[in-house]
Each structure stands twice: as structure tokens, then as C-alpha cells.
């Protein structure tokens, strides 16, 4: 992305307020999403966009014409709202590379998404987060294996013009996301921190994919979660203590993160081997998740019924 495009955002007020002093408001039924300042621990360990890079061309004309004679336009309002409400760890769009999944998701919503949401639409945040998941986890791989091949009785393909509640394996109630079931879909990459914006999520299963990196501590803000399955991937590092905030959780499955023997192939042809850390043999074997989960903090998981955490 050229410097001329990024400079167009210089001086933007990070708060969702228009330059003329008028307040930008979203519809009243919009859930109250946690912001990046709700948990100071989120402001460390910046996401490395290179880890999520997929074979994409840089967005075209994303940062342009942010104001006109009537004040901030749609692009400007999207940027301000998403930066203040959705992006985590003090991230801003102007600091991202053009192939960063967070940037690509914004570009898709502004320039390609036929649903053409307004900035004050209550569905904006959850649509952005699902678009981010698609780009972060290399959605171009999903269609060739038949999971998201066009429209079927199971729903529309991801990044289609329909509401996200009609996308494959997304379940909603009253227009908010309740379940994500993406087991064995060849998802490849890091779980983005912005997953914490799906605050109504009760069931998330990402078992048997090529997910690597660490479990983002922001997942501990999904306090409506009752079922979480991240097993059979290539996750590593410390189990975040924030996971003990999930006091509605009934089922937790984190097992089988090391020694797995399968590969996934990115849309650009790169092979990811889950036996290795970050899917790359140069990093050595993935050692799986670390840390204590059955210590005194487990008492906070007061609803827990089933747990599997072996390596």
C-alpha cells in the first residue's frame, strides 16, 4: 500500500466522533462490544501480519476521499468505528500492510461487499469479524475441499453478499451469532484477537485444522461461551489465564496440539505442517500448549462439565 494512501488517515480522531463535532451513533440494539482498553493486557504482543499473509493483492483505493463538504464519508466512519470498537492491541489501519487480514477485511466491506452496510448498522462489527476470520484463516482454501462450494441447503459461502447468519456453519438467533462450527475445514493461520467481538457466541468448534500460534487471551472476553473446542491443531505457548473468565463454559477441549501428522496447503501453494511450530520446519517441533489449568483458578469455571487438555 503506497504511502499516499495511508497518509489519508493522518489526524483521524480515534473516537467515533465526526470532525464537525457530531457524535457517530450505532443503532440502539447493537451489543456492547469490549474495546481495546477494557483489558490492559491486550496492549502487548502485537500481531505479526506476516503470519497471516495469504496470496492477495493489496487493496486498491481503500484510503481515499475521507471527507467531503458534508463531513466524514462512509470510509472514514468505518475506520473510526472499527478502530475504536473492534481492533485490538492499539492497532490502526494506517499502520497495517496491505496484505494484513484486518486490512483486507475492511477493504472487502468497503469495496466488494454487495451488502453495502452503513456505518451505523448493528451488524457491522460481527460482519467485519467474520470477514477477518475468512482472510486470516485463508478462506480460498475452503472452497476446493467442498466445504463452502457455492450455495447449498447448509447455507451460503463465506464472503457472499448475504447476511453472515446465512453463511455456512454459522448459527444465529435474533441476528446475532451464537455458534461457529468449522471442524476439519483446513483453516490455516492464527486465531485473531478480534474474535473477542463475537460476544454473543455460545459454541465455537475449530477442531482438526491447521491453526498455529497461541490462543489469544482476548478469548477470555467471550463470557457467553458454553462450548469451546480447539483440539487437534498446532497451537502452542501458554494457555491464557483469561480463559478462566469463561464462567459459562461447560465443555473445554484443548488436547492434541503436538505430534500431529498432517499438512494443509495455503491458497498460494505453501504447505503448512502442523507437526512444526507455526507450521514451518525451520521453527522446530511444536511443543503444544503449556501452563496449569487445573489449579485454584479452575474454580472460576463453575459451569464446567467436560475438559480434555492432554498434549
Amino acid at each position: 500500500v503506497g504511502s499516499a494512501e495511508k497518509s489519508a488517515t493522518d489526524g483521524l480522531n480515534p473516537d467515533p466522533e465526526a470532525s464537525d463535532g457530531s457524535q457517530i451513533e450505532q443503532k440502539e440494539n447493537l451489543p456492547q462490544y469490549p474495546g481495546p482498553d477494557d483489558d490492559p493486557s491486550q496492549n502487548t504482543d502485537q500481531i505479526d501480519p506476516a503470519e497471516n499473509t495469504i496470496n492477495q493483492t493489496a487493496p486498491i483505493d481503500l484510503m481515499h476521499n475521507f471527507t467531503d463538504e458534508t463531513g466524514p464519508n462512509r470510509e472514514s466512519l468505518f475506520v473510526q468505528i472499527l478502530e475504536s470498537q473492534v481492533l485490538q492491541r492499539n492497532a490502526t489501519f494506517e499502520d497495517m500492510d496491505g496484505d494484513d487480514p484486518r486490512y483486507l477485511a475492511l477493504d472487502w466491506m468497503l469495496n466488494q461487499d454487495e451488502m453495502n452496510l452503513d456505518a451505523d448498522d448493528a451488524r457491522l462489527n460481527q460482519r467485519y469479524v467474520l470477514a477477518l476470520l475468512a482472510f486470516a484463516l485463508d478462506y480460498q482454501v475452503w472452497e476446493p475441499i467442498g466445504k463452502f462450494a457455492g450455495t447449498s441447503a447448509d447455507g451460503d459461502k463465506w464472503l457472499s453478499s448475504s447476511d453472515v447468519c446465512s453463511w455456512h456453519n454459522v448459527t444465529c438467533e435474533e441476528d446475532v451469532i451464537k455458534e461457529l462450527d468449522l471442524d476439519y475445514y483446513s483453516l490455516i493461520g492464527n486465531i485473531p484477537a478480534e474474535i473477542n467481538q463475537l460476544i454473543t457466541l455460545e459454541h465455537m468448534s475449530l477442531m482438526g485444522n491447521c491453526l498455529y500460534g497461541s490462543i489469544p487471551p482476548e478469548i477470555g472476553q467471550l463470557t457467553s461461551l458454553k462450548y469451546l473446542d480447539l483440539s487437534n491443531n498446532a497451537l502452542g505457548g501458554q494457555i491464557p489465564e483469561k480463559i478462566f473468565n469463561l464462567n459459562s463454559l461447560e465443555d473445554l477441549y484443548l488436547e492434541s496440539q503436538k505430534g500431529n501428522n498432517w499438512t494443509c496447503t495455503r491458497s498460494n501453494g505453501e504447505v503448512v505442517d502442523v507437526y512444526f511450530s507455526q507450521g514451518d520446519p525451520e521453527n522446530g517441533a511444536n511443543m503444544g500448549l503449556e501452563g496449569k489449568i487445573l489449579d485454584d483458578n479452575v474454580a472460576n469455571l463453575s459451569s464446567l462439565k467436560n475438559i480434555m487438555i492432554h498434549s
Side-chain angles (χ1 to χ4, degrees), residues 56-70:
Q56 294 280 348
T57 58
I60 299 174
D61 294 332
L62 175 57
M63 301 299 187
H64 71 292
N65 297 329
F66 268 71
T67 61
D68 55 30
E69 62 278 5
T70 63

Side-chain angles (χ1 to χ4, degrees), residues 243-258:
I243 207 165
F244 295 112
N245 293 340
L246 303 178
N247 53 20
S248 297
L249 199 62
E250 298 178 0
D251 298 276
L252 175 62
Y253 303 104
L254 302 177
E255 76 276 11
S256 300
Q257 303 294 340
K258 72 175 184 179

